[in-house]
Amino acid sequence: SQTIHQWPATLVQPVGSPLSLECTVEGTSNPNLYWYRQAAGRGLQLLFYSVGIGQISSEVPQNLSASRPQDRQFILSSKKLLLSDSGFYLCAWSLGSYGYTFGSGTRLTVV
Amino acid sequence: KQEVTQIPAALSVPEGENLVLNCSFTDSAIYNLQWFRQDPGKGLTSLLLIQSSQREQTSGRLNASLDKSSGRSTLYIAASQPGDSATYLCAVDGANNLFFGTGTRLTVIP
């Protein structure tokens, strides 16, 4: 069966520090991978998606970047965090028309 | 751009009641529609997936319908239980992006 792992679960980082969130998928090949952010009191917003290794599409301009070094690994990064980067970050995968599966999320607080 | 609206924003019902959550979307050119459940501070759990060629899906006490022509979906929960308390999210698949509604926060009172 397919599983998705996302870590860490919570993170408190000072403004200006770097960020690296990792997501891995098991039990499937060539999935589409996604990073979403859920800000407090707001809906989910797509940040990045990837249809293959090294292929990244960005949906919104921001202080973040994403990379896909391996087929089932998706990384969200920042060189210098801003207060506005605080939120709940969710990784997801999809394959064909079988819907999306989400990870358990990372709660990021920038202080 | 696809816009997804969920009504009501919050709903409180006594245990055992049947209830309906509503979702509407502006662009009928969709691949799938998916209903999720989110508990506070947690990730999203998929409840039902309706592919664009389907009209409804059922899982246990849950039934979701899809009417693409009118841009509507409903999630029916039968015999609600306190464990059903959560936020329910409707999401429309527009090819490499899920467009989410802002959710309905459901509270089932014992």
Side-chain angles (χ1 to χ4, degrees):
Chain A
S1 64
Q2 301 89 0
T3 56
I4 180 169
H5 302 282
Q6 192 178 340
W7 67 92
T10 60
L11 193 58
V12 180
Q13 292 285 94
V15 169
S17 64
L19 173 73
S20 180
L21 304 181
E22 188 164 344
C23 171
T24 59
V25 179
E26 296 178 357
T28 187
S29 298
N30 302 314
N32 290 344
L33 297 173
Y34 309 84
W35 279 110
Y36 281 83
R37 177 170 59 199
Q38 188 176 37
R42 301 179 64 181
L44 282 108
Q45 180 184 40
L46 177 66
L47 301 176
F48 300 95
Y49 71 90
S50 171
V51 299
I53 295 174
Q55 300 179 63
I56 309 295
S57 295
S58 174
E59 288 295 303
V60 294
Q62 59 205 306
N63 185 42
L64 303 168
S65 62
S67 62
R68 184 172 178 174
Q70 301 179 41
D71 180 46
R72 289 168 288 179
Q73 184 185 28
F74 206 22
I75 298 172
L76 183 69
S77 304
S78 174
K79 293 182 179 178
K80 291 185 177 181
L81 284 169
L82 306 173
L83 287 174
S84 58
D85 291 324
S86 293
F88 192 49
Y89 289 82
L90 289 156
C91 179
W93 72 272
S94 73
L95 192 62
S97 59
Y98 299 104
Y100 288 59
T101 301
F102 282 79
S104 55
T106 295
R107 174 76 58 192
L108 172 66
T109 304
V110 183
V111 296
Chain B
K1 180 184 174 181
Q2 180 76 265
E3 292 184 4
V4 181
T5 303
Q6 289 187 247
I7 295 173
L11 181 63
S12 184
V13 300
E15 181 177 3
E17 193 163 295
N18 303 326
L19 59 102
V20 175
L21 307 182
N22 296 291
C23 172
S24 61
F25 48 94
T26 55
D27 187 349
S28 61
I30 66 172
Y31 287 89
N32 303 315
L33 186 143
Q34 206 164 349
W35 282 92
F36 294 90
R37 167 186 173 139
Q38 185 175 30
D39 293 288
K42 303 295 185 182
L44 275 62
T45 300
S46 181
L47 298 174
L48 289 166
L49 169 69
I50 310 177
Q51 297 184 347
S52 61
S53 59
Q54 299 174 324
R55 295 298 300 268
E56 67 176 342
Q57 281 289 333
T58 298
S59 176
R61 295 183 292 108
L62 306 180
N63 175 276
S65 67
L66 172 63
D67 184 341
K68 280 180 54 178
S69 61
S70 66
R72 295 182 181 179
S73 175
T74 60
L75 178 65
Y76 174 82
I77 302 177
S80 58
Q81 303 171 358
D84 294 331
S85 298
T87 296
Y88 291 80
L89 295 163
C90 168
V92 173
D93 187 354
N96 291 322
N97 192 358
L98 272 186
F99 294 92
F100 283 88
T102 51
T104 294
R105 182 179 298 176
L106 173 66
T107 303
V108 181
I109 304 167

